[in-house]
Amino acid sequence: MHNTTRDVSRSTTAQSHSLLDDIVGITASSLLAAIGIFLMDSGHVVTGGIAGLALLISYATPFSFSVVWIVASLPFLPLAVWKKGWNFTLRSLVAIVMVSLFAQLTTAKLGHLSIDPLFGAVAGNVVASIGVLGLFRHRSSLGGFNVVALIAQEQYHWRAGYVQLVIDLAIVAGAFFVASPVIVLYSAVGAFVFNFILALNHREGRYNG
């Protein structure tokens, strides 16, 4: 008996997402990002990016996360238009608004929970990173420093996750003003988890959808 080997040709032609793909993908990814932020908030930890900045400000002021999130995201939109174009910018704006709405909805439906800070930091960042990956793959983002990281990857070939990590650690360091050193440590662990997942999964040539 002889074993026969067959060469199977595989098509490598990427297919663009349909409008329905994008609607479902951006909506689901925004919900995941909001749930991740909710878990972090419930553990009273922070993360990096505009989300982390918004959480920090919401802890230190009477302003809600959703309000600070949208206001802090707006200054980065002109950069997104300039470097990434209107299509990407409008998709990101939709995602920003949806995350804000989903964050309010999640809090309204689940209430204010108090969970272990380390669990909130790790689980929250895992869930949020999957949401952000989904947005990236549908030509969108959460705006803010996501835009900076994506531009750095496209123009200088620096992995977006590593660029975001440097920015995020600087933001997490700001938590020293509103939280204990242990919470800051947990927040740094969470930020590392978030960006490690991002760097591992979002790289040039990895996804062509």
Side-chain angles (χ1 to χ4, degrees):
M1 178 183 283
H2 298 283
N3 292 329
T4 47
T5 337
R6 294 182 180 178
D7 294 329
V8 180
S9 62
R10 296 181 180 179
S11 172
T12 56
T13 305
Q15 294 183 353
S16 298
H17 290 297
S18 67
L19 178 60
L20 180 60
D21 291 338
D22 286 333
I23 292 172
V24 173
I26 291 174
T27 302
S29 299
S30 299
L31 177 58
L32 283 174
I35 292 173
I37 291 167
F38 173 78
L39 290 172
M40 291 178 240
D41 190 26
S42 297
H44 301 289
V45 295
V46 299
T47 186
I50 294 299
L53 199 57
L55 282 172
L56 269 178
I57 295 173
S58 69
Y59 293 158
T61 69
F63 298 109
S64 71
F65 166 82
S66 297
V67 171
V68 178
W69 164 265
I70 291 180
V71 172
S73 298
L74 292 178
F76 291 87
L77 294 180
L79 175 64
V81 173
W82 178 37
K83 290 293 187 180
K84 300 285 291 177
W86 278 104
N87 188 295
F88 173 87
T89 304
L90 292 175
R91 288 165 183 259
S92 298
L93 184 58
V94 168
I96 290 166
V97 172
M98 291 181 78
V99 168
S100 177
L101 295 175
F102 282 140
Q104 295 180 57
L105 180 64
T106 305
T107 302
K109 294 301 181 182
L110 297 181
H112 292 280
L113 304 180
S114 182
I115 63 175
D116 178 75
L118 183 57
F119 177 82
V122 175
N125 277 284
V126 167
V127 175
S129 67
I130 295 171
V132 170
L133 276 172
L135 291 175
F136 284 177
R137 292 178 177 184
H138 288 273
R139 292 167 290 161
S140 181
S141 75
L142 290 183
F145 299 114
N146 278 178
V147 176
V148 175
L150 285 172
I151 291 172
Q153 175 162 300
E154 291 169 4
Q155 294 197 352
Y156 302 106
H157 308 291
W158 300 343
R159 283 200 194 170
Y162 296 152
V163 174
Q164 186 87 41
L165 178 61
V166 173
I167 297 170
D168 288 356
L169 290 177
I171 292 172
V172 168
F176 274 113
F177 296 102
V178 296
S180 68
V182 173
I183 294 297
V184 176
L185 176 61
Y186 291 164
S187 299
V189 170
F192 175 80
V193 168
F194 178 97
N195 289 290
F196 180 73
I197 292 173
L198 213 61
L200 201 64
N201 290 279
H202 187 72
R203 61 180 78 171
E204 292 177 294
R206 170 59 63 87
Y207 184 81
N208 297 313

